[in-house]
């Protein structure tokens, strides 16, 4: 099983003189595949810019791709955030993703498993810069080591953040030496991406909000002597990422929700509870 190195190794650029990805043939092929990926429209493409500016319509959902659920809200405009789905090749040749466990002292999602990422800053040029900047701040992942290849559909967190998943490829995992921001991150680890398509070590809990039922997925994962539960928004994003990478749906029913947000949303409003039973 792959593990993130604990000792510093020399860093190398991921692009050669022709601006092509370095790494194994599998990673090169994956990069080429994902660069061609275009996510399903989350709204009428011709009106996307107008929607973003006027906030007359928002298409969103919690822990599931935004394209599945139309949400009409005249006054609601979610703040933007981005997370980095950083993929690398493990020692056995499997594709793996870097994950974190959030610090227990954080005011939201404390102690939960998450993807590196956070809210957008005014100075960020795009979602990719948000995701890679936050990953650098949280776990010391140098953006120059990561080749960003695509973005997925937006997701909506229970705290009403519009979260953009950004997929990046790390050709040389040995070049990454984690340096944790202990105020935000307690641990960093990796997991096989394909796990999020399998029904093994997975369970779900049914939720209901405004008369609509949906499922929250939980993946129990153990690496070394550590046990983690990957669930909620993070699990939803990884299910979608694995589906795109492996070009197949999961081996279980997702049961996406069809949320309808209230027309007026204030800072205290959250999406339905996602408590876990462990």
């Amino acid at each position: 099983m792959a593990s993130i190195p604990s000792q510093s190794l020399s860093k190398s650029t991921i692009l050669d003189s022709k601006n092509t990805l370095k790494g194994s043939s599998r990673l090169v092929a994956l990069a080429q595949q994902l660069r061609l990926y275009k996510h399903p429209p989350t709204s009428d493409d011709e009106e996307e810019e107008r929607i973003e500016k006027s906030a007359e319509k928002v298409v969103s959902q919690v822990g599931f791709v935004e394209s599945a659920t139309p949400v009409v809200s005249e006054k609601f405009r979610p703040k933007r955030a981005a997370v980095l789905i950083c993929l690398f090749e493990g020692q056995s040749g499997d594709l793996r993703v870097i994950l974190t466990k959030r610090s227990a002292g954080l005011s939201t999602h404390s102690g939960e498993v998450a993807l590196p990422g956070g809210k957008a800053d005014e100075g960020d040029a795009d979602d990719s810069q948000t995701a890679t900047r936050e990953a650098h701040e949280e776990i010391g992942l140098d953006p120059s080591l990561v080749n960003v290849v695509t973005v997925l559909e937006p997701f909506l967190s229970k705290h009403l953040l519009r979260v953009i998943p950004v997929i990046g490829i790390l050709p040389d995992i040995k070049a990454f030496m984690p340096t944790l921001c202990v105020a935000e991150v307690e641990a960093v680890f990796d997991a096989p991406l394909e796990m999020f398509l399998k029904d093994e070590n997975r369970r779900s809990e049914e939720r209901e909000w405004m008369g609509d039922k949906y499922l929250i997925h939980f993946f129990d994962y153990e690496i070394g002597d550590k046990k983690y539960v990957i669930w909620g928004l993070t699990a939803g994003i990884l299910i979608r990422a694995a589906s795109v990478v492996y070009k197949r749906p999961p081996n279980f029913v997702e049961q996406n929700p069809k949320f309808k947000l209230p027309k007026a949303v204030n800072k205290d409003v959250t999406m339905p509870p996602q408590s876990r039973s462990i």
Side-chain angles (χ1 to χ4, degrees), residues 82-86 97-100 102 113-118 138 165 233-235 237-238:
V83 293
L84 180 64
I85 303 168
C86 187
V97 59
I98 294 175
L99 295 164
T100 69
R102 290 168 60 85
V113 172
L115 289 155
E138 291 181 0
L233 178 66
T234 299
I237 290 174
L238 289 170

Side-chain angles (χ1 to χ4, degrees), residues 40-59:
T42 58
S43 60
D44 188 334
D45 287 336
E46 295 180 357
E47 296 184 0
E48 181 65 24
E49 185 175 354
R50 181 186 65 79
I51 290 169
E52 285 293 325
K53 290 181 179 180
S54 67
E56 290 179 359
K57 178 181 178 183
V58 177
V59 181

Side-chain angles (χ1 to χ4, degrees), residues 40-42 59-61 64-70 153-154 256-259:
T42 58
V59 181
S60 55
Q61 58 186 59
F64 302 86
V65 293
E66 184 175 285
S67 57
T69 305
E153 299 90 321
N256 293 351
K258 297 180 180 179
F259 294 132

Side-chain angles (χ1 to χ4, degrees), residues 197-238:
L197 295 180
K198 299 178 179 180
D199 208 15
E200 304 167 11
N201 302 316
R202 184 198 68 90
R203 51 200 167 87
S204 62
E205 294 181 7
E206 190 174 70
R207 294 284 187 272
E208 182 174 341
W209 193 51
M210 297 181 69
D212 188 46
K213 294 181 179 180
Y214 63 98
L215 293 178
I216 296 293
H217 298 279
F218 301 77
F219 293 86
D220 297 302
Y221 178 62
E222 184 173 350
I223 182 171
D225 60 349
K226 303 292 185 181
K227 295 182 179 180
Y228 300 97
V229 178
I230 305 162
W231 69 289
L233 178 66
T234 299
I237 290 174
L238 289 170

Side-chain angles (χ1 to χ4, degrees), residues 113-130:
V113 172
L115 289 155
K119 295 179 182 178
D121 282 352
E122 289 185 4
D124 292 340
D126 52 27
D127 298 311
S128 298
Q129 186 173 353
T130 298

Side-chain angles (χ1 to χ4, degrees), residues 13 16 25-26 34 36 38 45 47 62 68 76 87 111 116 178 182 192 194 197 224 228 235 239 254 264-265 269 277:
T13 179
D16 62 18
S25 58
R26 182 182 186 184
L34 292 177
L36 297 175
K38 293 183 179 180
D45 287 336
E47 296 184 0
V62 171
F76 173 60
L87 304 178
V182 295
E194 195 172 14
L197 295 180
Y228 300 97
I239 290 169
E254 291 184 77
V265 178
V269 174
S277 299

